Short mmCIF file of all heavy atoms in Angstrom, two decimals:
data_model
loop_
_atom_site.label_atom_id
_atom_site.label_comp_id
_atom_site.label_asym_id
_atom_site.label_seq_id
_atom_site.Cartn_x
_atom_site.Cartn_y
_atom_site.Cartn_z
N GLY A 253 4.57 -28.56 -3.73
CA GLY A 253 4.20 -29.94 -3.32
C GLY A 253 5.30 -30.58 -2.56
O GLY A 253 6.51 -30.36 -2.88
N PHE A 254 5.00 -31.39 -1.61
CA PHE A 254 5.92 -32.25 -0.92
C PHE A 254 5.56 -33.68 -1.15
O PHE A 254 4.39 -34.08 -1.11
CB PHE A 254 5.86 -31.98 0.62
CG PHE A 254 6.56 -30.69 0.95
CD1 PHE A 254 5.91 -29.48 1.04
CD2 PHE A 254 7.95 -30.67 1.31
CE1 PHE A 254 6.44 -28.28 1.39
CE2 PHE A 254 8.54 -29.41 1.66
CZ PHE A 254 7.84 -28.25 1.71
N TYR A 255 6.58 -34.53 -1.42
CA TYR A 255 6.40 -35.94 -1.83
C TYR A 255 7.10 -36.87 -0.84
O TYR A 255 8.02 -36.50 -0.12
CB TYR A 255 6.96 -36.10 -3.20
CG TYR A 255 6.22 -35.37 -4.27
CD1 TYR A 255 6.54 -33.97 -4.51
CD2 TYR A 255 5.28 -35.99 -5.10
CE1 TYR A 255 5.77 -33.27 -5.46
CE2 TYR A 255 4.61 -35.29 -6.11
CZ TYR A 255 4.91 -33.88 -6.21
OH TYR A 255 4.15 -33.14 -7.23
N ASN A 256 6.61 -38.05 -0.77
CA ASN A 256 7.34 -39.12 0.02
C ASN A 256 8.40 -39.66 -0.83
O ASN A 256 8.60 -39.37 -1.93
CB ASN A 256 6.32 -40.09 0.62
CG ASN A 256 5.65 -40.93 -0.45
OD1 ASN A 256 6.03 -40.96 -1.61
ND2 ASN A 256 4.55 -41.62 -0.01
N ASP A 257 9.19 -40.71 -0.25
CA ASP A 257 10.25 -41.33 -0.98
C ASP A 257 9.78 -42.12 -2.21
O ASP A 257 10.63 -42.34 -3.08
CB ASP A 257 10.97 -42.19 0.01
CG ASP A 257 11.76 -41.43 1.10
OD1 ASP A 257 12.04 -40.22 0.83
OD2 ASP A 257 12.04 -41.99 2.21
N ALA A 258 8.50 -42.47 -2.25
CA ALA A 258 8.01 -43.17 -3.44
C ALA A 258 7.53 -42.14 -4.53
O ALA A 258 7.09 -42.59 -5.56
CB ALA A 258 6.87 -44.03 -3.04
N GLY A 259 7.67 -40.79 -4.27
CA GLY A 259 7.32 -39.80 -5.22
C GLY A 259 5.82 -39.48 -5.29
O GLY A 259 5.34 -38.86 -6.22
N VAL A 260 5.07 -39.86 -4.15
CA VAL A 260 3.68 -39.60 -4.08
C VAL A 260 3.41 -38.27 -3.41
O VAL A 260 3.94 -38.12 -2.26
CB VAL A 260 2.90 -40.77 -3.41
CG1 VAL A 260 1.46 -40.48 -3.26
CG2 VAL A 260 3.17 -42.07 -4.22
N LEU A 261 2.56 -37.42 -3.95
CA LEU A 261 2.23 -36.11 -3.31
C LEU A 261 1.60 -36.35 -2.01
O LEU A 261 0.66 -37.08 -1.77
CB LEU A 261 1.30 -35.35 -4.30
CG LEU A 261 0.91 -33.94 -3.85
CD1 LEU A 261 2.15 -33.05 -3.85
CD2 LEU A 261 -0.15 -33.39 -4.90
N ASN A 269 9.30 -36.14 2.41
CA ASN A 269 10.74 -36.32 2.49
C ASN A 269 11.43 -34.95 2.70
O ASN A 269 12.65 -34.83 2.75
CB ASN A 269 11.35 -36.97 1.24
CG ASN A 269 10.95 -36.21 0.02
OD1 ASN A 269 10.69 -35.10 -0.05
ND2 ASN A 269 11.03 -37.02 -1.13
N PHE A 271 11.47 -32.28 0.56
CA PHE A 271 11.95 -31.65 -0.58
C PHE A 271 10.78 -30.91 -1.21
O PHE A 271 9.89 -31.51 -1.77
CB PHE A 271 12.55 -32.59 -1.55
CG PHE A 271 13.66 -33.45 -0.99
CD1 PHE A 271 13.82 -34.71 -1.43
CD2 PHE A 271 14.50 -32.97 0.07
CE1 PHE A 271 14.85 -35.58 -0.92
CE2 PHE A 271 15.43 -33.80 0.63
CZ PHE A 271 15.63 -35.10 0.10
N VAL A 273 8.77 -28.88 -3.99
CA VAL A 273 8.69 -28.82 -5.46
C VAL A 273 7.72 -27.78 -5.89
O VAL A 273 6.57 -27.87 -5.70
CB VAL A 273 8.32 -30.18 -6.13
CG1 VAL A 273 8.39 -30.08 -7.65
CG2 VAL A 273 9.21 -31.35 -5.57
N SER A 327 3.15 -28.99 -14.85
CA SER A 327 2.90 -30.39 -15.04
C SER A 327 1.38 -30.75 -15.26
O SER A 327 1.04 -31.56 -16.00
CB SER A 327 3.56 -31.27 -14.02
OG SER A 327 2.72 -31.20 -12.82
N GLN A 329 -0.21 -32.51 -13.76
CA GLN A 329 -0.42 -33.83 -13.14
C GLN A 329 0.59 -34.01 -12.08
O GLN A 329 1.65 -34.63 -12.35
CB GLN A 329 -0.32 -34.94 -14.21
CG GLN A 329 -1.49 -34.85 -15.22
CD GLN A 329 -1.52 -36.06 -16.23
OE1 GLN A 329 -0.49 -36.75 -16.28
NE2 GLN A 329 -2.55 -36.37 -16.85
N ARG A 330 0.33 -33.44 -10.89
CA ARG A 330 1.33 -33.38 -9.89
C ARG A 330 1.28 -34.54 -8.88
O ARG A 330 2.03 -34.51 -7.88
CB ARG A 330 1.18 -32.09 -9.06
CG ARG A 330 1.24 -30.86 -9.99
CD ARG A 330 1.22 -29.54 -9.15
NE ARG A 330 1.20 -28.38 -10.06
CZ ARG A 330 0.14 -27.72 -10.30
NH1 ARG A 330 -1.08 -28.10 -9.86
NH2 ARG A 330 0.14 -26.69 -11.15
N GLY A 331 0.44 -35.52 -9.14
CA GLY A 331 0.32 -36.55 -8.13
C GLY A 331 1.58 -37.42 -7.91
O GLY A 331 1.82 -37.92 -6.82
N THR A 332 2.42 -37.48 -8.91
CA THR A 332 3.61 -38.30 -8.82
C THR A 332 4.83 -37.52 -9.49
O THR A 332 4.67 -36.96 -10.57
CB THR A 332 3.49 -39.72 -9.57
OG1 THR A 332 2.29 -40.33 -8.99
CG2 THR A 332 4.67 -40.54 -9.37
N VAL A 333 5.99 -37.62 -8.75
CA VAL A 333 7.18 -37.07 -9.35
C VAL A 333 8.17 -38.23 -9.46
O VAL A 333 8.21 -39.16 -8.67
CB VAL A 333 7.75 -35.92 -8.35
CG1 VAL A 333 8.18 -36.54 -7.08
CG2 VAL A 333 8.89 -35.19 -9.11
N LEU A 334 9.01 -38.13 -10.50
CA LEU A 334 9.94 -39.20 -10.80
C LEU A 334 11.34 -38.77 -10.47
O LEU A 334 11.73 -37.57 -10.61
CB LEU A 334 9.80 -39.54 -12.28
CG LEU A 334 8.40 -39.92 -12.82
CD1 LEU A 334 8.41 -40.15 -14.30
CD2 LEU A 334 7.84 -41.12 -12.08
N ASN A 335 12.13 -39.77 -10.16
CA ASN A 335 13.62 -39.58 -9.95
C ASN A 335 13.98 -38.35 -9.10
O ASN A 335 14.83 -37.58 -9.37
CB ASN A 335 14.27 -39.35 -11.33
CG ASN A 335 13.94 -40.47 -12.28
OD1 ASN A 335 13.97 -41.66 -11.93
ND2 ASN A 335 13.74 -40.19 -13.54
N GLN A 336 13.29 -38.24 -7.97
CA GLN A 336 13.52 -37.12 -7.17
C GLN A 336 14.76 -37.22 -6.29
O GLN A 336 15.07 -38.29 -5.71
CB GLN A 336 12.22 -36.92 -6.18
CG GLN A 336 12.32 -35.59 -5.39
CD GLN A 336 11.15 -35.33 -4.56
OE1 GLN A 336 10.56 -36.35 -4.04
NE2 GLN A 336 10.80 -34.08 -4.30
N THR A 337 15.43 -36.05 -6.17
CA THR A 337 16.55 -35.86 -5.27
C THR A 337 16.21 -34.62 -4.44
O THR A 337 15.11 -34.02 -4.61
CB THR A 337 17.85 -35.70 -5.98
OG1 THR A 337 17.89 -34.36 -6.65
CG2 THR A 337 18.06 -36.73 -7.02
N SER A 340 16.16 -31.89 -7.38
CA SER A 340 15.70 -32.15 -8.74
C SER A 340 14.71 -33.21 -8.78
O SER A 340 14.41 -33.92 -7.85
CB SER A 340 16.93 -32.55 -9.62
OG SER A 340 17.50 -33.73 -9.16
N GLY A 341 14.13 -33.41 -9.98
CA GLY A 341 13.10 -34.43 -10.23
C GLY A 341 12.56 -34.30 -11.63
O GLY A 341 13.02 -33.43 -12.41
N GLN A 342 11.53 -35.07 -11.91
CA GLN A 342 11.03 -35.11 -13.31
C GLN A 342 9.51 -35.37 -13.27
O GLN A 342 9.05 -36.16 -12.51
CB GLN A 342 11.72 -36.22 -14.11
CG GLN A 342 11.30 -36.28 -15.52
CD GLN A 342 12.01 -37.40 -16.25
OE1 GLN A 342 12.78 -38.18 -15.74
NE2 GLN A 342 11.80 -37.51 -17.57
N TYR A 343 8.80 -34.69 -14.21
CA TYR A 343 7.36 -34.99 -14.37
C TYR A 343 7.28 -35.58 -15.86
O TYR A 343 7.87 -35.07 -16.78
CB TYR A 343 6.52 -33.73 -14.35
CG TYR A 343 6.37 -33.27 -12.88
CD1 TYR A 343 7.06 -32.15 -12.47
CD2 TYR A 343 5.47 -33.84 -12.06
CE1 TYR A 343 6.87 -31.70 -11.14
CE2 TYR A 343 5.29 -33.41 -10.77
CZ TYR A 343 5.98 -32.32 -10.30
OH TYR A 343 5.79 -31.89 -9.01
N ALA A 344 6.40 -36.62 -15.96
CA ALA A 344 6.25 -37.34 -17.19
C ALA A 344 5.56 -36.59 -18.23
O ALA A 344 5.68 -36.84 -19.42
CB ALA A 344 5.55 -38.71 -16.94
N PHE A 423 9.23 -32.41 -18.32
CA PHE A 423 10.40 -31.54 -17.95
C PHE A 423 11.03 -32.05 -16.59
O PHE A 423 10.41 -32.78 -15.87
CB PHE A 423 9.93 -30.08 -17.82
CG PHE A 423 8.91 -29.83 -16.73
CD1 PHE A 423 9.29 -29.59 -15.43
CD2 PHE A 423 7.60 -29.89 -17.08
CE1 PHE A 423 8.33 -29.40 -14.44
CE2 PHE A 423 6.57 -29.66 -16.14
CZ PHE A 423 6.96 -29.37 -14.76
N THR A 424 12.25 -31.67 -16.44
CA THR A 424 12.93 -31.82 -15.20
C THR A 424 12.97 -30.47 -14.51
O THR A 424 12.82 -29.45 -15.15
CB THR A 424 14.32 -32.34 -15.37
OG1 THR A 424 15.02 -31.35 -16.17
CG2 THR A 424 14.32 -33.71 -16.06
N TYR A 425 13.02 -30.51 -13.24
CA TYR A 425 13.15 -29.24 -12.42
C TYR A 425 14.34 -29.18 -11.68
O TYR A 425 14.97 -30.23 -11.30
CB TYR A 425 11.90 -29.07 -11.53
CG TYR A 425 11.72 -30.04 -10.48
CD1 TYR A 425 12.50 -29.84 -9.21
CD2 TYR A 425 10.97 -31.18 -10.56
CE1 TYR A 425 12.38 -30.77 -8.20
CE2 TYR A 425 10.86 -32.09 -9.54
CZ TYR A 425 11.61 -31.87 -8.34
OH TYR A 425 11.53 -32.82 -7.35
#
Side-chain angles (χ1 to χ4, degrees):
F254 285 89
Y255 295 80
N256 63 17
D257 290 337
V260 177
L261 181 66
N269 56 23
F271 306 149
V273 182
S327 72
Q329 288 187 347
R330 303 187 184 97
T332 303
V333 67
L334 306 175
N335 304 320
Q336 189 180 27
T337 71
S340 66
Q342 181 181 4
Y343 285 105
F423 59 89
T424 60
Y425 65 83

